[in-house]
Amino acid sequence: MVRTFTDYSNPERWLALPSSLDKKTDVFYIYPSSFRKIDKTEPDICEIDNPVMIKIAGATFNLQAAAFETAGNIFAPYYRQVDAVFCASLPVEEQNKYFAGIPKSDIFAAFDYYVKHLNGGRPFILAGHSLGSIMLKYLLAEYIKENPHVYSRMIAAYVIGYSVTEKYLSENPHLKFAEGPDDTKVIISYNTEAPEIEGVNGVLLPGAISINPITWTRDETLAEASENLGSIVTDENGKILTVKNYADARVDKTRGVVICGTVDVEKVAPGNIIFGKGIYHGYDYQFYFHNIRENAARRVKNFLSERIFSSAAAE
């Protein structure tokens, strides 16, 4: 039986809780789909302590959230999820019903607890991927809108691996998409694909907007792999390594994605049960890991500078 309430005052309900608050800013990270049923008799929505989800979420944290470890104190809640394969088999409308149910209720409860009991008034970054970014879109459109005092502390929202569209922005005029590498209180979003793909990209919506994760601009100028600050890969032992000159990036405004043309598609994204060949969904963070790290630190620095300037001007 799935519980109806998750108590986020319990430290065991958090994937990441900082042992010390040694930074002036925070990061609230939401991991992507991490639940896979190992038995067909399992429910389609997992419990908050499901061991499969906990294991996959922890591994994903090291490939994604770790990019923000120099930018802020990282908070990351566990939350109940729908089995990824089952969900991918459903029409979009049915998927959204699942997302807007238990997963959303957990994330809203976790973020509300974080704001009221853990944040302490510090500026924060929102970061997510895939399902985590769907949850961020709910937070931005509803919780952030209804709590402008919280929004005033948001440095940026990295809504990566799921589409932010023109329609979404028009429906939420309090939000704005990033235009460059330094702006704050903005959304950063992109989905990565090869020049040619097979099948349908299930996380790509009509009217999607993407920003180049190397130059942090929205034009279609190619950023060479030599401009990339560093991608990460895992070796045969699972060790995370940084590699240079690996992934380039070019915004394709027609498709609404970032095109990466320097990676070996056959080795990296030959296709699986959910995503077709050439859809680099699982590598949105890994291809541009050190660029994300540098950019998050840059936006933090700019936000704090703006806050100091505003305070001085008000005196």
Side-chain angles (χ1 to χ4, degrees):
M1 183 73 176
V2 176
R3 289 188 293 269
T4 58
F5 174 74
T6 299
D7 180 9
Y8 285 99
S9 68
N10 182 352
E12 293 183 1
R13 298 298 172 248
W14 292 83
L15 167 60
L17 277 177
S19 57
S20 64
L21 301 172
D22 58 346
K23 298 179 179 66
K24 296 180 180 179
T25 55
D26 291 348
V27 177
F28 188 87
Y29 166 76
I30 310 176
Y31 55 85
S33 295
S34 302
F35 171 49
R36 311 285 189 275
K37 287 196 288 187
I38 57 176
D39 188 316
K40 291 182 178 179
T41 62
E42 287 186 81
D44 295 323
I45 298 177
C46 71
E47 290 283 9
I48 197 73
D49 56 358
N50 180 273
V52 172
M53 182 185 72
I54 287 174
K55 181 179 180 179
I56 295 175
T60 304
F61 183 95
N62 295 327
L63 297 172
Q64 296 184 354
F68 299 97
E69 63 188 3
T70 58
N73 314 297
I74 302 179
F75 295 81
Y78 287 116
Y79 66 108
R80 293 169 290 176
Q81 300 186 330
V82 186
D83 173 71
V85 175
F86 163 74
C87 194
S89 69
L90 300 174
V92 173
E93 295 78 11
E94 291 299 312
Q95 291 182 26
N96 289 335
K97 288 180 182 178
Y98 276 99
F99 299 152
I102 288 174
K104 177 186 171 183
S105 69
D106 274 0
I107 289 300
F108 273 54
F111 188 68
D112 189 62
Y113 185 84
Y114 159 75
V115 167
K116 293 177 178 176
H117 301 283
L118 303 174
N119 172 251
R122 290 179 298 277
F124 61 89
I125 286 172
L126 296 176
H129 184 253
S130 194
L131 177 59
S133 287
I134 294 173
M135 296 299 109
L136 285 183
K137 288 179 67 177
Y138 287 134
L139 275 180
L140 289 164
E142 298 175 36
Y143 191 101
I144 289 294
K145 180 181 179 180
E146 295 164 6
N147 295 274
H149 64 290
V150 177
Y151 187 25
S152 69
R153 301 199 303 274
M154 190 187 86
I155 299 166
Y158 288 79
V159 186
I160 297 172
Y162 197 81
S163 293
V164 172
T165 65
E166 295 283 4
K167 182 175 183 290
Y168 176 79
L169 293 174
S170 68
E171 292 172 346
N172 296 282
H174 63 290
L175 302 173
K176 59 181 179 178
F177 201 94
E179 298 289 344
D182 298 301
D183 42 1
T184 58
K185 295 180 69 176
V186 295
I187 295 173
I188 296 103
S189 182
Y190 63 87
N191 289 281
T192 318
E193 294 182 350
E196 300 292 336
I197 68 168
E198 295 179 3
V200 176
N201 189 341
V203 296
L204 188 62
L205 303 177
I209 308 168
S210 282
I211 196 167
N212 189 309
I214 295 178
T215 62
W216 303 105
T217 58
R218 290 167 57 181
D219 62 60
E220 295 185 299
T221 303
L222 172 68
E224 302 282 357
S226 59
E227 300 174 62
N228 191 324
L229 297 179
S231 308
I232 59 171
V233 297
T234 52
D235 65 14
E236 62 275 8
N237 298 314
K239 184 179 180 180
I240 298 173
L241 306 172
T242 295
V243 293
K244 294 291 188 72
N245 302 315
Y246 184 65
D248 65 0
R250 179 180 64 81
V251 171
D252 184 321
K253 291 185 177 182
T254 301
R255 284 165 60 175
V257 300
V258 165
I259 302 294
C260 176
T262 54
V263 174
D264 187 333
V265 177
E266 296 293 343
K267 289 183 179 180
V268 176
N272 56 42
I273 193 170
I274 297 177
F275 291 100
K277 181 179 177 179
I279 299 174
Y280 293 132
H281 181 65
Y283 299 91
D284 289 322
Y285 271 85
Q286 288 179 243
F287 283 178
Y288 310 107
F289 185 90
H290 287 278
N291 298 84
I292 294 170
R293 171 170 287 186
E294 187 275 339
N295 184 252
R298 185 170 179 171
R299 293 186 197 271
V300 165
K301 183 179 179 180
N302 198 36
F303 185 94
L304 295 178
S305 296
E306 290 172 345
R307 172 174 276 200
I308 291 172
F309 178 81
S310 297
S311 297
E315 292 178 357

